[in-house]
Amino acid sequence: MDNGKINGKTVTESELLALGYRKYQGQNMDIYYAKDICGHIGNCVKGNPEVFEVGRRPWVIADNGEVLENIKVVDTCPTGALKYIRR
Ligand code: SF4
């Protein structure tokens, strides 16, 4: 799943925030998360527990991973609960 997009179009921050996503800001990319969409399948935490750690605040720290690696992990999110925007 390409989680940089919604319906085939590159997502914008205003679109994601309007949809209820929360922003986790990084230096070179931001990761967005919508808890209501999350299926708690855990691909994110298995993919990189340094970036995604349930129980930590904030639970997403984009700068703990490389941009391309983060994108790979975000794209494994099957529900679209995770999205990203590169800077
Ligand atoms: S991969 Fe997506 S659906 Fe699964 S736990 Fe992470 S955010 Fe939720």
Side-chain angles (χ1 to χ4, degrees):
M1 187 165 186
D2 184 344
N3 280 322
K5 297 186 175 172
I6 289 179
N7 295 330
K9 287 180 63 183
T10 301
V11 292
T12 64
E13 175 163 318
S14 55
E15 191 179 3
L16 290 174
L17 296 180
L19 288 168
Y21 282 79
R22 182 160 175 199
K23 178 180 181 181
Y24 295 88
Q25 190 166 336
Q27 279 216 307
N28 300 312
M29 71 182 302
D30 300 323
I31 294 175
Y32 296 79
Y33 174 66
K35 74 171 173 4
D36 293 345
I37 304 174
C38 177
H40 305 288
I41 295 144
N43 292 357
C44 49
V45 292
K46 282 180 222 145
N48 190 339
E50 290 177 15
V51 175
F52 303 96
E53 188 184 326
V54 179
R56 180 185 62 194
R57 281 179 171 252
W59 85 277
V60 180
I61 301 178
D63 289 343
N64 280 359
E66 298 291 327
V67 170
L68 293 179
E69 285 300 314
N70 286 351
I71 289 172
K72 272 191 209 162
V73 176
V74 169
D75 283 346
T76 68
C77 175
T79 62
L82 290 175
K83 297 284 180 192
Y84 70 86
I85 294 178
R86 286 185 79 162
R87 290 167 186 264

